[in-house]
Amino acid sequence: MTEITLHHYDLSPFSEKIRLALGHKDLDWRSVKVEAVPPRPLLDVLTGGYRRVPVLQIGADVYCDTEVIFRALERVKPTPSLYPTGEGLSKALSLWWDRATWKPAIGVLVDYIGEHLPEEFLRDRKEHYLGYDISKDAMAPQMPAYVQQMTAFAAWLDDMLGEQPYLTGDALSAADLTCYHSLWLLRANCGAEAIDSRLRLSTRLTDWMDRVAGIGHGTSTEMTSDDAIAAAKAATPVDGFDADDDPSGLHFGQRVTVTPDDNARVPVTGQIVAADAQEIVLARDTDEAGLIHIHFPRAGFEALPA
Ligand SMILES: N[C@@H](CCC(=O)N[C@@H](CS)C(=O)NCC(=O)O)C(=O)O
């Protein structure tokens, strides 16, 4: 089987979701560490310019966004599933959590460690990623509101757990990995005790976090970005997803742009080679890595004629 390669950095909570998914499926994978602040020219070759992290690569197939990465991992190794009770609830919970908690979680984070964030990191996040200033001073006036949001949402997770070990039932699902990630970010960087008390995390919730953490990250070996490009060049796209069923009238072979609809709104241009209501795949010819197929989810992205 072609190697599974994750392009990521340690502190990235969205990457932590995927590291845990790789652990859940007990996969061997290659780890390409990228800079926390772009430019990332070698990653851009593979993604066509999509600027967020993580990115999963399997040979010449490249997956942008954790939702479609989960989907790819399901295809590579269906069991244990990331969707033991079906995709709908897990995916809806994940999209809500990612979007509703990202700004408040960053607000709480910078209250604790904001003074240590480099100027170039803050500038990049404001100008090219989030569109707002995440410096400690800029976020301070809203701090009570961030705590209010995180506290409300964490209590909902606690309620969902009830008597069951995981959010959607007896078995772990993608929803657990997603809802874990921003709380992991806060506890790992601000101190678990401080966060547990500030956000009123119950013992039931922190026990669940311990269970999720216990999954681990599978087995990884380091790889350079250059070697990842060489692996893409040596491969041809092989992912079996070949649907021609776009719900909006886009058609096979059409040139389109695909752009996140929330932040880091860099359009990626290519020709449709597969599409349905959940996933779209663009073909791009690159000098450095040959033909690449880039996969995106549909929810949270806009695909429009180029
Ligand atoms: N919806 C995306 C969000 C990814 C995301 O925002 N990742 C953060 C890192 S945790 C990021 O890309 N930050 C800006 C950057 O690293 O360039 C996903 O699920 O993958």
Side-chain angles (χ1 to χ4, degrees):
M1 187 181 75
T2 313
E3 286 179 323
I4 297 169
T5 304
L6 185 67
H7 300 253
H8 65 129
Y9 52 88
D10 289 340
L11 281 177
S12 156
F14 284 87
S15 301
E16 182 65 8
K17 281 198 217 190
I18 302 304
R19 293 186 289 255
L20 289 165
L22 291 159
H24 180 56
K25 288 185 177 288
D26 196 19
L27 286 163
D28 293 338
W29 53 283
R30 305 302 301 269
S31 164
V32 177
K33 292 284 175 59
V34 301
E35 298 293 334
V37 177
R40 305 174 185 128
L42 296 178
L43 185 54
D44 288 347
V45 169
L46 297 176
T47 63
Y50 173 79
R51 82 139 272 175
R52 300 190 300 200
V53 170
V55 170
L56 189 84
Q57 174 193 355
I58 303 179
D61 284 277
V62 171
Y63 303 85
C64 298
D65 194 282
T66 51
E67 197 216 297
V68 85
I69 294 175
F70 282 149
R71 203 173 149 98
L73 294 179
E74 284 290 279
R75 289 203 281 259
V76 168
K77 190 172 181 195
T79 49
S81 176
L82 290 162
Y83 300 105
T85 57
E87 293 190 358
L89 181 58
S90 246
K91 289 195 171 188
L93 267 179
S94 296
L95 191 64
W96 156 69
W97 181 268
D98 280 349
R99 295 204 168 190
T101 65
W102 200 214
K103 190 171 188 178
I106 293 171
V108 174
L109 177 76
V110 300
D111 189 50
Y112 288 85
I113 64 156
E115 59 274 29
H116 304 301
L117 295 175
E119 204 48 52
E120 57 152 353
F121 178 89
L122 297 174
R123 196 174 329 109
D124 170 70
R125 272 22 183 195
K126 180 176 177 194
E127 289 175 9
H128 303 293
Y129 173 50
L130 296 165
Y132 50 83
D133 186 351
I134 62 164
S135 65
K136 185 170 178 165
D137 285 349
M139 297 201 93
Q142 286 294 110
M143 189 54 198
Y146 299 141
V147 171
Q148 291 154 23
Q149 297 307 301
M150 291 305 292
T151 310
F153 297 149
W156 292 355
L157 296 189
D158 175 72
D159 189 55
M160 278 178 228
L161 284 170
E163 297 306 313
Q164 60 191 26
Y166 297 105
L167 294 175
T168 58
D170 288 335
L172 177 127
S173 75
D176 295 289
L177 306 184
T178 295
C179 297
Y180 169 86
H181 81 95
S182 31
L183 295 175
W184 166 80
L185 175 77
L186 295 177
R187 291 176 96 225
N189 289 288
C190 314
E193 259 181 47
I195 290 302
D196 295 353
S197 122
R198 189 103 182 251
L199 302 185
R200 301 187 178 180
L201 304 189
S202 64
T203 306
R204 184 159 60 182
L205 202 54
T206 56
D207 286 350
W208 162 79
M209 290 194 69
D210 290 344
R211 274 195 293 284
V212 174
I215 295 163
H217 293 162
T219 309
S220 67
T221 47
E222 298 279 328
M223 187 187 211
T224 65
S225 295
D226 282 314
D227 286 346
I229 299 271
K233 189 160 195 167
T236 45
V238 290
D239 185 294
F241 176 69
D242 60 359
D244 183 11
D245 185 23
D246 180 85
S248 64
L250 300 174
H251 58 80
F252 193 83
Q254 188 171 357
R255 237 174 106 71
V256 296
T257 58
V258 175
T259 313
D261 69 7
D262 52 349
N263 56 42
R265 291 178 50 81
V266 181
V268 176
T269 307
Q271 276 186 305
I272 298 179
V273 287
D276 68 9
Q278 299 302 331
E279 182 168 346
I280 185 164
V281 188
L282 303 188
R284 283 178 56 87
D285 267 313
T286 69
D287 292 338
E288 303 88 337
L291 176 67
I292 305 287
H293 282 185
I294 312 176
H295 302 241
F296 299 93
R298 305 307 297 265
F301 285 76
E302 298 167 352
L304 297 170

